[in-house]
Amino acid sequence: MTVAQAKAKNLPAGANLPFIYREYSAERLKLALHKMYLIRQFEEGAEESYMRGLIHGTMHLSIGQEASAMGICMPLTNDDQITSTHRGHGHCIAKGAEVSKMFAEFFGKTTGYCRGRGGSMHIADVTTGNLGANGIVGGGIPIAVGAALTAKRLKSDRVVISFFGDGANNEGAFHEALNMASLWKLPVIFVCENNGYGMSTSMARSTAVANVADRAAAYSMPGVIVDGNVLSEVAEASHEAVRRARLGEGPTLIESKTYRYRGHSKSDRNRYRTKEEIEDWMTNRDPIVRYENELMEFGIIDQAGIEAIREAVRKEIADGIEFAKASPSPEIRNLERYVYTETV
Amino acid sequence: MDQAVRELSYAQAIQEAMAIALESDERVFLMGEDIGVYGGAFQVTGDLVERFGADRVIDTPISELGGAGVAVGAAVTGLRPIFEFQFSDFATLAMEQIVNQAAKMRYMLGGAVSVPVVMRFPAGSGTGAAAQHSQSLEAWLGHVPGLKVIQPATPYDVKGMLLAAVADPDPVMIFEHKLLYKTKGPVPEGYYTVPIGKAEIRREGRDLTIVATSIMVHKALEAAKTLEAEGIDVEVVDLRTIRPMDKETVIESVKKTSRLLCVYEGVKTLGVGAEVSAMIAESEAFDFLDAPIVRLGGAETPIPYNPELEKATVPQVPDILAAVRSLATGSR
């Protein structure tokens, strides 16, 4: 069934479908669901592997924020670029990375995207335009502006997305980068995924304005607030910002209000928020459940179709973990490789 | 090839190198504070903005951290930025991007990217600019794997090393002593490079090796001239690059002379001289030493304003003379 047929079937005459149902084919919409499952199951798989001691270090999970990553990436092409954050697994998958190579990276293997040198916090896939997650809050924001400067100088049609969290909006790098991007009308989109807390410190306790998007006014760019748990809202804001950027009209600041179900990292004891708050988000506002319900309501997918996608994702995740387990570790003698560019 | 050789100042040599890079490679552009119509705080960029336009000679806001990050992002995605810090001291505002991003991005991504950014740092004391505009922070950056750190001492070298830096796939940090900007020397026209990571013997000698960096090379050469009349034959090694360091040239020199004096302007403790000394102590040259290694570095103080105090903060020619005289006659 096409989206148009679905529209005819389920909507009263004259009613408007949300943005993505007007913009994208049923295939694209199902692919978005597929990727949102992939993000969640990837992180659940990574978490389980961590618990079982297969992954060391730490990781920052974005479970609950899947619509934000996916919605922003929907209007992007493979040529467009992103810079990501320490909570960047979702961005990486949404932009097109393969979960097998991501698992391999988390397992520290040579087949990983960073050949075992980066891990979760530096996950990247340059081939699909992900210039890398970043261990420094706000570290990727000026880099995205630099990538946008390249896009403008080379007169490419490329846009660059800079993902960051609410914590980064109090870093100097955020302000310096937004100012320059606006001044030079660069094709960059600043996406603040506001999950309410910079580690344990809430927006109210850290930020002198109510919304991160309010800060856009100081840099003469549009500031847009969206419900980050509603895929269509996020994608619509991204679509408009991408259009502006490609036309040379400059940057946009999108604030995607969302929530992370898990703690900040593996050391988090969740002392700064209540169980009720977490449960409310998980039960009433889950971005995947909401999207599934919409798709079914508009007749784009049925329960069997959903189950089929879930099953395919389960297999993809299981295969990815097996690939990672079976991959070789880097050799100690290659410890210093990649510090500098090898000259032949 | 016939390349006419002119006398150029160190600043003119840098400007010429940048002009050649801008002319020959569309990807090259300059970024920095007041480098456009103002011509740069030390008139190094001069009128380049008139020749190459404001799109390629970009005045940034006073945003060292953001500006350095923009340069890093541009480098990773295919351009060749040359980023000017107005004073090397302002690197402190951008350490995040230099140390965490530029230096590590290639490694963190397992070789998937290179970061061909060049950063220029006007450094050093002697201009009466006091504690926050006179530092020599090269050893800070020299401590970071992933960066290359150079300190050219002559107009010839700074042109050739800057062009080598632009051609280099990795981040290169150039520390330019401000008192060198007006010094003159022979510089060939056109394109040439001077390799990064290779020291240069400025004066051959038998009795003692001075390993010096940047402006201290000239002070060491001046001292060597005086010492020659006293019958002390000094070899002067211009280190030129502090990361990666040319160990071989220094080791061979010390094996020949059996005595080592390190002269550098940065604070003495944990500085370039500490690294050179330790490197010699760990090498086969150690057995050749006839006297303990001596370091002359900056005093353990911020750079003061008063001109006499300022001079006393960093090694001067008389300090070098005294150190050499003592070292040349000393024994283990």
Side-chain angles (χ1 to χ4, degrees):
Chain A
M1 185 174 359
T2 66
V3 179
Q5 285 168 321
K7 192 195 298 187
K9 187 175 156 196
N10 286 309
L11 275 190
N16 257 345
L17 278 165
F19 172 79
I20 52 171
Y21 304 97
R22 290 177 271 131
E23 181 70 20
Y24 297 108
S25 70
E27 283 319 301
R28 285 288 305 279
L29 295 173
K30 285 185 210 168
L31 184 62
L33 182 67
H34 181 111
K35 283 199 179 181
M36 285 165 74
Y37 288 144
L38 205 55
I39 294 169
R40 181 160 301 184
Q41 288 194 32
F42 174 83
E43 293 204 305
E44 287 169 350
E47 189 176 38
E48 195 198 324
S49 300
Y50 177 86
M51 298 299 186
R52 291 171 55 199
L54 295 167
I55 295 176
H56 80 151
T58 190
M59 64 178 72
H60 307 86
L61 301 172
S62 67
I63 296 176
Q65 303 184 184
E66 295 86 352
S68 187
M70 192 60 233
I72 292 295
C73 291
M74 278 186 88
L76 303 183
T77 70
N78 204 47
D79 188 51
D80 294 323
Q81 293 172 327
I82 67 168
T83 62
S84 174
T85 72
H86 58 288
R87 203 174 305 288
H89 312 153
H91 310 144
C92 198
I93 293 170
K95 192 67 181 65
E98 296 169 35
V99 291
S100 57
K101 290 183 189 169
M102 289 177 68
F103 274 123
E105 184 56 36
F106 286 30
F107 280 61
K109 302 298 182 70
T110 55
T111 51
Y113 274 116
C114 309
R115 300 175 201 266
R117 269 70 168 183
S120 160
M121 208 136 48
H122 305 297
I123 194 70
D125 175 17
V126 177
T127 62
T128 56
N130 181 359
L131 299 175
N134 212 303
I136 306 297
V137 171
I141 309 177
I143 294 174
V145 175
L149 183 71
T150 301
K152 187 171 179 174
R153 280 277 323 275
L154 299 181
K155 297 187 170 62
S156 72
D157 200 33
R158 171 183 293 166
V159 301
V160 185
I161 304 284
S162 171
F163 284 106
F164 52 93
D166 44 289
N169 101 102
N170 293 315
E171 287 280 9
F174 164 84
H175 296 272
E176 294 185 15
L178 264 69
N179 182 57
M180 280 183 276
S182 181
L183 194 63
W184 299 332
K185 289 216 176 317
L186 297 179
V188 57
I189 297 148
F190 301 101
V191 179
C192 178
E193 295 183 310
N194 180 354
N195 60 22
Y197 300 89
M199 207 155 157
S200 71
T201 310
S202 67
M203 272 287 285
R205 288 175 57 223
S206 68
T207 303
V209 290
N211 306 293
V212 174
D214 296 346
R215 292 195 154 153
Y219 304 107
S220 281
M221 69 177 79
V224 183
I225 298 172
V226 295
D227 183 335
N229 285 16
V230 177
L231 183 73
S232 186
E233 266 199 45
V234 181
E236 185 168 14
S238 179
H239 187 88
E240 169 57 16
V242 167
R243 186 196 64 79
R244 258 178 64 81
R246 289 206 211 280
L247 286 175
E249 292 172 12
T252 302
L253 171 59
I254 297 173
E255 179 179 6
S256 175
K257 293 197 191 263
T258 182
Y259 198 79
R260 61 168 154 79
Y261 297 169
R262 299 294 196 271
H264 161 73
S265 70
K266 305 316 291 180
S267 66
D268 193 332
R269 292 175 299 167
N270 262 321
R271 285 192 167 182
Y272 50 89
R273 51 186 194 173
T274 62
K275 275 199 177 103
E276 292 72 29
E277 178 183 295
I278 300 170
E279 272 161 23
D280 175 49
W281 280 88
M282 291 176 71
T283 317
N284 301 317
R285 301 189 230 181
D286 184 79
I288 297 182
V289 172
R290 283 161 90 166
Y291 186 45
E292 284 172 347
N293 289 343
E294 273 184 10
L295 289 172
M296 288 197 286
E297 184 188 340
F298 299 142
I300 294 159
I301 201 165
D302 55 18
Q303 196 59 49
I306 283 176
E307 199 39 59
I309 297 178
R310 280 188 187 152
E311 188 49 39
V313 169
R314 270 194 287 273
K315 186 172 180 328
E316 213 173 326
I317 295 296
D319 290 351
I321 291 173
E322 283 313 307
F323 172 78
K325 278 185 190 164
S327 291
S329 287
E331 293 178 55
I332 303 289
R333 66 184 173 88
N334 292 329
L335 172 68
E336 293 181 10
R337 192 174 281 181
Y338 312 122
V339 177
Y340 296 99
T341 304
E342 298 73 22
T343 43
V344 186
Chain B
M1 205 196 312
D2 273 345
Q3 288 177 321
V5 176
R6 302 88 10 102
E7 285 282 308
L8 290 188
S9 74
Y10 189 94
Q12 286 170 324
I14 297 171
Q15 188 183 121
E16 186 166 280
M18 293 194 293
I20 290 170
L22 284 161
E23 259 164 21
S24 59
D25 189 342
E26 268 297 309
R27 301 171 300 172
V28 173
F29 71 100
L30 316 183
M31 273 181 84
E33 293 161 8
D34 307 294
I35 66 167
V37 287
Y38 193 97
F42 298 96
Q43 290 302 316
V44 175
T45 45
D47 66 356
L48 289 177
V49 70
E50 284 153 43
R51 293 173 60 190
F52 297 98
D55 281 349
R56 298 187 71 198
V57 181
I58 302 174
D59 273 328
T60 68
I62 302 176
S63 301
E64 288 83 3
L65 171 63
V70 170
V72 171
V76 167
T77 50
L79 298 184
R80 296 266 171 170
I82 302 175
F83 187 83
E84 176 179 307
F85 282 87
Q86 197 157 78
F87 287 82
S88 68
D89 312 69
F90 306 163
T92 56
L93 291 151
M95 286 304 266
E96 198 287 291
Q97 283 294 331
I98 300 169
V99 174
N100 293 321
Q101 313 294 343
K104 296 176 175 52
M105 210 162 162
R106 176 173 177 78
Y107 194 83
M108 292 189 300
L109 269 59
V113 295
S114 290
V115 189
V117 65
V118 176
M119 294 187 179
R120 298 182 35 243
F121 302 90
S125 67
T127 64
Q132 297 170 339
H133 290 71
S134 303
Q135 296 170 86
S136 297
L137 300 177
E138 56 277 353
W140 284 29
L141 299 187
H143 195 64
V144 182
L147 301 180
K148 296 180 181 179
V149 183
I150 63 177
Q151 292 185 276
T154 67
Y156 179 91
D157 275 3
V158 79
K159 178 179 170 185
M161 292 185 90
L162 178 50
L163 285 169
V166 172
D168 198 286
D170 297 315
V172 181
M173 312 286 116
I174 306 183
F175 282 80
E176 304 160 0
H177 200 292
K178 287 167 291 200
L179 295 184
L180 290 176
Y181 281 138
K182 289 183 177 163
T183 62
K184 293 199 162 180
V187 178
E189 285 180 342
Y191 186 89
Y192 67 90
T193 59
V194 171
I196 292 166
K198 192 85 193 72
E200 173 84 355
I201 297 172
R202 294 285 174 202
R203 184 188 194 282
E204 291 201 23
R206 285 168 291 118
D207 298 333
L208 182 147
T209 297
I210 298 179
V211 172
T213 56
S214 188
I215 196 167
M216 292 301 160
V217 172
H218 301 283
K219 292 186 182 179
L221 288 169
E222 195 183 326
K225 225 182 271 174
T226 304
L227 292 158
E228 190 177 12
E230 300 173 16
I232 304 173
D233 189 14
V234 173
E235 177 147 308
V236 177
V237 178
D238 175 357
L239 201 55
R240 297 203 291 198
T241 302
I242 64 169
R243 173 179 283 272
M245 199 176 277
D246 179 358
K247 297 177 183 176
E248 198 188 326
T249 299
V250 179
I251 289 169
E252 288 310 310
S253 177
V254 173
K255 279 164 75 176
K256 183 173 77 173
T257 65
S258 302
R259 290 167 204 269
L260 173 61
L261 169 66
C262 304
V263 190
Y264 53 107
E265 179 161 331
V267 170
K268 179 178 170 184
T269 303
L270 296 167
V272 171
E275 182 55 37
V276 173
S277 306
M279 186 267 290
I280 288 300
E282 288 174 337
S283 78
E284 75 262 24
F286 181 74
D287 288 334
F288 290 76
L289 288 175
D290 286 340
I293 297 166
V294 176
R295 286 179 291 159
L296 278 180
E300 307 293 321
T301 166
I303 304 288
Y305 167 66
N306 174 285
E308 294 311 312
L309 291 181
E310 185 183 20
K311 265 187 208 154
T313 309
V314 301
Q316 304 295 345
V317 174
D319 303 317
I320 299 172
L321 290 171
V324 170
R325 284 173 191 138
S326 159
L327 179 57
T329 54
S331 61
R332 280 204 280 188

